Amino acid sequence: MQYVKFGSRRGKEGEIKLLDIFYNHNIVFAEVKAGAEKVKEKKFLKGTRIMIADGLKVVALGIAETDSDSLDKFNIKFNKNELDRVNISYWVIAAKVKIYKLEENDYFSTTIGKFYHVKNKEKIKLTDELLEKYSK
């Protein structure tokens, strides 16, 4: 089983907020440094468990409904406001996701980063427990 984390804030001060786009389109995405080759290297599969953070708090969890690919492959119909915040390109890793918004008392802390594969056993265990709770 794979576990990944997506952050929903971009920009030098976190001023570009993407959480609403994730929720509206049931998708997660992040630019991957070093371009298209890294998108392939960092690939994850359908069924991957996903942590979605707003700042340093995980506020939602998800399960990938597709294998990851570059954002330009998903043909999402973003509105004008969303397009101003989104970079649709081949170096942006993305996946369609079934998203479960957490209640505030279930939020948990995470480390900074727009995208990474999660290895922390405690966070993995907590993710599994909360997904079981919310997916019922």
Side-chain angles (χ1 to χ4, degrees), residues 29-43 68-75 78 86-95 115:
F29 55 84
E31 287 184 33
V32 176
K33 289 183 179 166
E37 280 309 307
K38 281 287 185 194
V39 168
K40 289 178 188 157
E41 258 179 55
K42 299 204 176 264
K43 185 171 182 66
S68 66
D69 207 334
S70 56
L71 184 57
D72 60 329
K73 300 280 197 286
F74 286 95
N75 297 315
F78 296 110
V86 175
N87 182 359
I88 302 169
S89 73
Y90 60 89
W91 66 80
V92 177
I93 193 167
F115 169 78

Side-chain angles (χ1 to χ4, degrees), residues 3-34:
Y3 295 80
V4 296
K5 179 254 183 183
F6 280 86
S8 67
R9 293 186 188 207
R10 304 287 189 276
K12 197 172 185 180
E13 304 294 323
E15 65 277 7
I16 301 167
K17 297 180 174 82
L18 305 172
L19 195 57
D20 63 308
I21 298 172
F22 291 178
Y23 291 161
N24 291 343
H25 298 283
N26 292 305
I27 195 161
V28 289
F29 55 84
E31 287 184 33
V32 176
K33 289 183 179 166

